[in-house]
Amino acid sequence: MNCTLLLLNGGIGSRVGQPHPKQLIKINGIPMIVYSLISASLVDEINEIIINYPLGYKEAIENIVSDYAIKKKVIYIEGGTTRQESVYKMLQHSSNETVLIHESARPLVTKKHFENLLKSSHFNVGLMIEIPFTVVPVDTTTHLITGVLDRSRLRNVQLPQKFDVSDLLKAHEWAILNNKKYTEDTSLCTDYGHGIEVYYLDGSERNIKITTSEDIKIASFLLGGQYNE
């Protein structure tokens, strides 16, 4: 089964505090985006990669793909104004019926993460991990705690995720029609419903998302090197 990787790469990452998009920041001397590209390049089923890019950075991303000899077919799409819009735009260009969605801000993704999703019998499935801390609902106006949540029934959403293209397109078009906004696609599809079932596989604590400069230091350590200020 061939599939397309949608590699989300269009954000600026202002919280990292760098003058350029965080996916271009080097971790142990290698641009962050490269780690995801290399892991994906090891997966035989991925025969196409669609990368979105921030306005003005297409050439920089193309040069990185060339410099690191990524042999898969690569399509470049300008990023949308939101993550949701970016995914919808990228979906239009997939030549396969199955897509994997990942983000370059998770450089510790492995070949096995992708392969576990592809091996799943479910059409729509994502990686998730248990939440090790307590979460409660609150009233943000009064600062009143309004209830309790059963932590055992909650999961922290990770990427990558796998989707049937027709299912995901229907869910996105419904969200556009109803002006609904989502920050990732398992919740979008679940909220849409209409026969779309979404499952999860256990993810990995190592598969962190780079959001702050401290995360870069952690990723550098986990990837086996030191982060230079």
Side-chain angles (χ1 to χ4, degrees), residues 36 41 57 76 78 130 150 163 211:
S36 294
S41 71
Y57 284 92
Y76 301 91
E78 185 176 317
E130 293 182 3
D150 181 357
F163 293 96
T211 303

Side-chain angles (χ1 to χ4, degrees), residues 10-54:
I12 297 299
S14 57
R15 282 180 285 179
V16 176
Q18 296 288 332
H20 48 260
K22 66 181 176 183
Q23 53 269 34
L24 302 182
I25 294 171
K26 291 186 177 181
I27 300 179
N28 300 342
I30 299 173
M32 190 187 306
I33 184 178
V34 172
Y35 290 97
S36 294
L37 288 170
I38 290 175
S39 292
S41 71
L42 299 174
V43 180
D44 292 338
E45 292 88 344
I46 297 176
N47 68 343
E48 176 179 77
I49 301 174
I50 301 176
I51 304 175
N52 70 338
Y53 59 87

